[in-house]
Amino acid sequence: MHTGSPPVIETTRLAKNFGRTTALAGLDLSVRTGEVHGFLGPNGAGKSTTLRILLGLIRPTSGTARVFNLDPWMNPARAHRDVAYVPGDVSLWPNLSGGEVIDLLTGLRGGADERLRRELVDEFDFDPRRTARTYSKGNRQKAALIAAFARPARLYLLDEPSAGLDPVMDSVFRRQVQRVRRDGATVLLSSHILSEVEQLCDRVTIIRSGTAVESGTLAELRHLTRTRFRFTAATDPAVLAALPGVHDLHSDGTETEFNADAADLGPVLEGLAAAGVTDITAAPPSLEELFMRHYTESDHGVPNGEVR
């Protein structure tokens, strides 16, 4: 990751309204050169609207968006010369074969690397001879992924790209993301599959109601929340409840669990030692916990509306 380079993607106070519906409400997003950046939020948060602006398909109501330091609305051809895109809901030309679809899509960017194309068709277990109208959702997704990965790009915009893939094909997709990252490409991965983001991404931006509520590395974000402890002890574990930073302590008579604030881990560990702990596990907060912290606050879940 080239931290000294200018951002590949940068939006500042980006806003988009569709009539009375607010899709984006001042989004700040920065994606650095050579990173895989997770873009997290449920349907309705504004992820797909952001990607459509970055692709130059729609114009923002206000604010700015830059791709390779170019305005994608004013300079679409230059901004997207080295961009590969995979939508979350893939529609294909029904009368074309899968192979013809891949050739058409890669042809828009100068044509496929034939060796890479053959390898991807094989890895994704894809039959390019069948007509697109016979494909399942998963096979339509494979066609779009093969087309995106079959020609090198500097930037990959992936909008819920593994939707419809089974676990085996999902692992193939993850390997391809890791491959293009090793080759120096930048990836913006829009997703609500938290395990995928946790495994692949260098940095994460969580979007809620059209604005970024958290952005940083997983290590930075985990510092904002709590570590989960599970232990058995020789003495009454209730003595730990009075320690600063201990939350949600409960015991089933055998094991005790609680959460602890990152800032208070020192006294918590001392308290555990004093309690005569005989067995302990500690787990850092998962991305799911970080994510749900923002979606169980004031609106208790997914924002209303169909805008994605």
Side-chain angles (χ1 to χ4, degrees):
M1 187 165 56
H2 310 290
T3 54
S5 306
V8 173
I9 294 171
E10 189 158 39
T11 73
T12 306
R13 296 188 296 278
L14 193 65
K16 180 63 181 177
N17 301 325
F18 295 98
R20 295 181 180 178
T21 302
T22 299
L24 293 174
L27 175 71
D28 293 328
L29 173 67
S30 181
V31 179
R32 300 169 183 170
T33 302
E35 75 175 357
V36 180
H37 194 109
F39 195 34
L40 278 176
N43 291 348
K47 304 190 308 297
S48 291
T49 299
T50 303
L51 290 178
R52 289 200 291 267
I53 290 172
L54 296 174
L55 288 163
L57 300 176
I58 56 176
R59 191 174 194 170
T61 302
S62 62
T64 60
R66 294 287 182 270
V67 176
F68 298 120
N69 208 30
L70 296 166
D71 183 327
W73 180 260
M74 300 299 292
N75 299 283
R78 287 175 61 206
H80 302 121
R81 188 176 297 147
D82 290 313
V83 175
Y85 169 59
V86 177
D89 189 11
V90 176
S91 298
L92 304 177
W93 297 269
N95 294 327
L96 296 183
S97 70
E100 289 169 334
V101 167
I102 291 168
D103 291 341
L104 178 57
L105 292 173
T106 54
L108 296 172
R109 295 195 294 122
D113 174 323
E114 283 305 316
R115 180 192 58 80
L116 197 50
R117 181 190 188 277
R118 286 193 300 271
E119 288 177 2
L120 288 163
V121 166
D122 185 52
E123 273 207 70
F124 277 105
D125 193 21
F126 181 74
D127 184 350
R129 296 164 297 181
R130 290 171 46 196
T131 56
R133 66 157 52 88
T134 68
Y135 285 146
S136 65
K137 176 178 174 59
N139 275 318
R140 292 196 304 273
Q141 204 69 28
K142 288 179 188 180
L145 287 166
I146 291 167
F149 289 128
R151 178 180 175 85
R154 290 169 62 200
L155 172 63
Y156 293 81
L157 297 176
L158 308 178
D159 190 5
E160 306 283 356
S162 58
L165 297 182
D166 63 41
V168 174
M169 292 300 108
D170 190 44
S171 71
V172 174
F173 161 71
R174 295 183 192 203
R175 284 202 302 273
Q176 291 303 318
V177 172
Q178 290 162 342
R179 174 184 66 81
V180 299
R181 183 189 183 279
R182 286 195 304 270
D183 291 342
T186 303
V187 180
L188 179 60
L189 173 61
S190 166
S191 181
H192 62 258
I193 302 173
L194 302 180
S195 61
E196 181 174 82
V197 172
E198 206 152 19
Q199 181 179 337
L200 290 173
C201 295
D202 303 296
R203 293 170 65 242
V204 170
T205 294
I206 298 174
I207 182 174
R208 179 173 182 264
S209 302
T211 190
V213 291
E214 210 78 85
S215 191
T217 65
L218 285 174
E220 289 167 347
L221 299 189
R222 281 176 171 145
H223 187 70
L224 300 172
T225 189
R226 297 165 180 166
T227 298
R228 184 76 171 167
F229 287 92
R230 181 183 292 113
F231 69 96
T232 54
T235 59
D236 183 359
V239 298
L240 289 165
L243 289 174
V246 170
H247 305 271
D248 309 318
L249 186 141
H250 67 274
S251 177
D252 64 4
T254 305
E255 286 191 328
T256 301
E257 294 187 353
F258 67 92
N259 295 319
D261 291 325
D264 295 303
L265 287 181
V268 166
L269 291 172
E270 289 174 9
L272 285 166
V277 169
T278 57
D279 183 58
I280 186 169
T281 60
S286 68
L287 187 55
E288 181 175 3
E289 289 171 288
L290 294 165
F291 183 74
M292 292 307 294
R293 190 166 70 111
H294 292 292
Y295 281 90
T296 53
E297 290 175 355
S298 60
D299 62 6
H300 299 288
V302 179
N304 294 325
E306 291 301 313
V307 177
R308 293 173 56 221

